Amino acid sequence: MKAFRKELTFHTSKRREFINITPYVDACIRESGIKEGLVLCNAMHITSSVFINDDESGLHHDFEQWLEKLAPEKPHSQYRHNGFEDNADAHLKRQIMGREVVVAITNGQLDFGTWEQIFYGEFDGKRSKRVLVKIIGE
Ligand code: ZN
């Protein structure tokens, strides 16, 4: 069995942003040389997510609105976590959007359903943050 590990770094210009990271994960699979196996992809921070969904801008707008209803960013004073920090909403948003995804690799390709794409969900951006890609297989 082979194993491959790589960290991807993202630095968003906005506090909240969704980035389609599928091409980066694809590149990791090619670099690993693994044809049959599994890829794990997880956010290495507790205020960002990795999740699978559709690459459709209307849906991304809907996610943003829905998350803001569930855990509005402001007022910052509504959260006990906010004192030294102002990112309580980002912790809550990350929790519901998830930490990681696992995808099968078949014939050296991501074995996706029709519309599946991998996204990095940033909820407290404007700084460099990391995503771990771990691939095992042969
Ligand atoms: Zn915090």
Side-chain angles (χ1 to χ4, degrees):
M1 189 196 76
K2 284 201 273 186
F4 174 92
R5 181 188 191 277
K6 191 163 194 168
E7 290 179 12
L8 308 174
T9 302
F10 299 99
H11 188 136
T12 61
S13 57
K14 290 181 283 178
R15 180 180 170 102
R16 287 190 290 280
E17 213 167 304
F18 296 128
I19 301 170
N20 186 337
I21 64 169
T22 310
Y24 302 103
V25 179
D26 262 331
C28 289
I29 293 170
R30 280 197 302 279
E31 195 181 335
S32 75
I34 291 168
K35 301 291 180 200
E36 297 293 326
L38 293 172
V39 54
L40 162 76
C41 191
N42 67 267
M44 298 179 80
H45 300 263
I46 51 180
T47 53
S48 52
S49 291
V50 173
F51 62 95
I52 290 180
N53 219 301
D54 194 359
D55 195 359
E56 197 276 305
S57 60
L59 179 66
H60 294 184
H61 177 81
D62 294 338
F63 275 138
E64 163 65 18
Q65 301 278 95
W66 179 62
L67 290 166
E68 266 301 287
K69 269 184 219 157
L70 287 173
E73 181 192 339
K74 291 173 181 165
H76 292 143
S77 62
Q78 73 189 300
Y79 299 107
R80 287 200 191 175
H81 178 69
N82 289 340
F84 298 108
E85 292 191 292
D86 66 357
N87 66 359
D89 70 301
H91 288 279
L92 298 173
K93 286 165 175 143
R94 171 264 165 80
Q95 200 64 30
I96 208 149
M97 295 303 280
R99 170 184 181 264
E100 79 277 304
V101 301
V102 177
V103 182
I105 301 166
T106 304
N107 290 325
Q109 311 259 329
L110 288 161
D111 203 339
F112 276 150
T114 309
W115 297 105
E116 288 187 319
Q117 293 283 289
I118 305 171
F119 291 90
Y120 175 66
E122 178 60 84
F123 305 113
D124 184 22
K126 301 182 187 176
R127 57 199 169 102
S128 291
K129 291 167 78 171
R130 293 170 298 146
V131 169
L132 177 67
V133 179
K134 180 85 182 193
I135 305 171
I136 55 169
E138 52 189 26

